[in-house]
């Protein structure tokens, strides 16, 4: 269960964070949220798919790390085998919190129940002996700011996809080297036929708002499914 609190030197002056990769630190996950603002970096490593919230019906984008719950094919012991990790995962155990006061600036919160919280005296310090943020915390705070901005500006992208009917459900089924069939269902992707049928006015609208480039980043990312299958085959071969 999460245990969120506002980060401050009085309560967290000696806090240390495990920064290395590892299943024991919460990295054994199949996917994480990906912001449209980071699609260029994400598509170079991971397939990008969409998922619709069952309650609200709203779309979100995900970077896929595996084919099933708890599977991260980019995780090799204490190594994350990709140059880029999506911001929503990379910022953990920190998160953005907001005061009940309208117009108040966002606050840096921390989940004290997260596996990255060090109880051994090892890890990166969050505050120095004078109570000032360490370079590590400053880097994470900047990333949190970028993530918060990207989250809010993503609404326009998803609204555009809905307005032009540019998403459709898809399923994937591949036969692995050992003969097993790996399937992936429950996600959505760009409706390429509908995209190709858009008129000039629609394309201009998408392009002028920066959406069209991001749409093509999603399409380009689908080539990473081949990489994901290759990683799965290697994992099986190594036992």
């Amino acid at each position: 269960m999460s245990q969120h609190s506002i980060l401050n030197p009085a309560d967290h002056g000696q806090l240390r964070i495990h920064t290395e990769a590892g299943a024991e630190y919460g990295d054994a996950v199949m996917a994480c949220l990906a912001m449209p603002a980071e699609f260029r970096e994400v598509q170079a490593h991971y397939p990008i798919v969409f998922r619709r919230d069952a309650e609200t019906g709203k779309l979100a984008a995900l970077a896929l790390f595996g084919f099933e719950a708890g599977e991260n094919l980019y995780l090799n012991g204490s190594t994350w085998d990709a140059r880029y990790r999506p911001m929503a995962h990379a910022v953990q155990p920190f998160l953005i919190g907001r005061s009940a006061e309208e117009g108040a600036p966002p606050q840096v919160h921390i989940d004290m129940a997260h596996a990255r919280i060090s109880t051994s005296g090892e890890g990166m310090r969050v505050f120095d002996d004078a109570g000032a943020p360490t370079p590590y915390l400053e880097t994470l705070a900047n990333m949190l700011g970028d993530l918060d901005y990207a989250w809010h500006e993503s609404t326009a992208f998803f609204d555009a996809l809905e307005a032009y009917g540019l998403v459709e459900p898809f399923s994937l089924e591949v036969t692995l080297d050992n003969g097993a069939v790996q399937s992936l269902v429950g996600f959505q992707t760009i409706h390429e036929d509908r995209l190709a049928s858009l008129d000039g006015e629609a394309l201009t609208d998408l392009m002028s708002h920066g959406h069209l480039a991001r749409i093509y980043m999603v399409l380009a990312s689908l080539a990473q499914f081949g990489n994901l299958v290759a990683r799965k085959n290697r994992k099986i071969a190594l036992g």
Side-chain angles (χ1 to χ4, degrees):
M1 182 178 294
S2 298
Q3 184 183 334
H4 296 176
S5 61
I6 300 173
L7 186 69
N8 65 88
D11 295 326
H12 307 111
Q14 300 302 312
L15 183 66
R16 291 178 179 267
I17 306 296
H18 292 293
T19 57
E20 61 269 37
E24 65 271 34
Y25 302 130
D27 288 338
V29 290
M30 173 187 177
C32 81
L33 286 173
M35 301 297 114
E38 61 179 339
F39 280 178
R40 185 179 300 275
E41 292 80 11
V42 173
Q43 63 85 29
H45 302 283
Y46 317 101
I48 300 170
V49 296
F50 302 122
R51 182 175 61 190
R52 196 176 291 280
D53 186 276
E55 295 184 3
T56 66
K58 291 186 176 181
L59 286 171
L62 300 175
L64 283 184
F65 306 146
F67 289 104
E68 53 196 80
E71 179 180 67
N72 184 343
L73 296 170
Y74 296 83
L75 184 63
N76 182 15
S78 60
T79 300
W80 188 294
D81 188 24
R83 294 188 306 275
Y84 184 83
R85 284 184 297 160
M87 290 187 289
H89 192 82
V91 298
Q92 296 176 4
F94 301 97
L95 60 156
I96 287 288
R98 296 191 180 278
S99 170
E101 182 182 347
E102 186 175 351
Q107 304 161 321
V108 176
H109 284 214
I110 188 162
D111 179 4
M112 292 300 295
H114 197 280
R116 288 197 174 276
I117 301 297
S118 175
T119 58
S120 64
E122 300 177 345
M124 296 289 289
R125 286 195 64 176
V126 176
F127 295 101
D128 64 21
D129 290 337
T134 61
Y136 164 71
L137 178 56
E138 290 178 344
T139 298
L140 265 294
N142 288 334
M143 189 182 297
L144 279 169
D146 291 342
L147 178 60
D148 187 53
Y149 177 82
W151 170 260
H152 285 93
E153 68 109 38
S154 70
T155 300
F157 175 75
F158 294 120
D159 286 349
L161 295 185
E162 300 281 34
Y164 290 109
L166 291 177
V167 292
E168 64 174 346
F170 87 103
S171 59
L172 177 71
E173 188 172 283
V174 295
T175 302
L176 302 174
D177 289 348
N178 66 352
V181 175
Q182 182 74 69
S183 59
L184 191 70
V185 296
F187 298 104
Q188 302 201 27
T189 189
I190 296 296
H191 195 311
E192 293 190 58
D193 290 342
R194 197 157 292 157
L195 176 63
S197 70
L198 291 179
D199 60 24
E201 183 178 353
L203 290 172
T204 298
D205 178 49
L206 290 170
M207 186 182 300
S208 66
H209 290 92
H211 304 321
L212 192 60
R214 292 174 176 179
I215 288 170
Y216 282 113
M217 292 296 173
V218 175
L219 291 174
S221 80
L222 300 183
Q224 297 297 343
F225 273 116
N227 180 29
L228 211 59
V229 171
R231 289 173 180 272
K232 182 77 171 186
N233 281 324
R234 286 199 298 271
K235 178 183 177 182
I236 293 172
L238 293 172

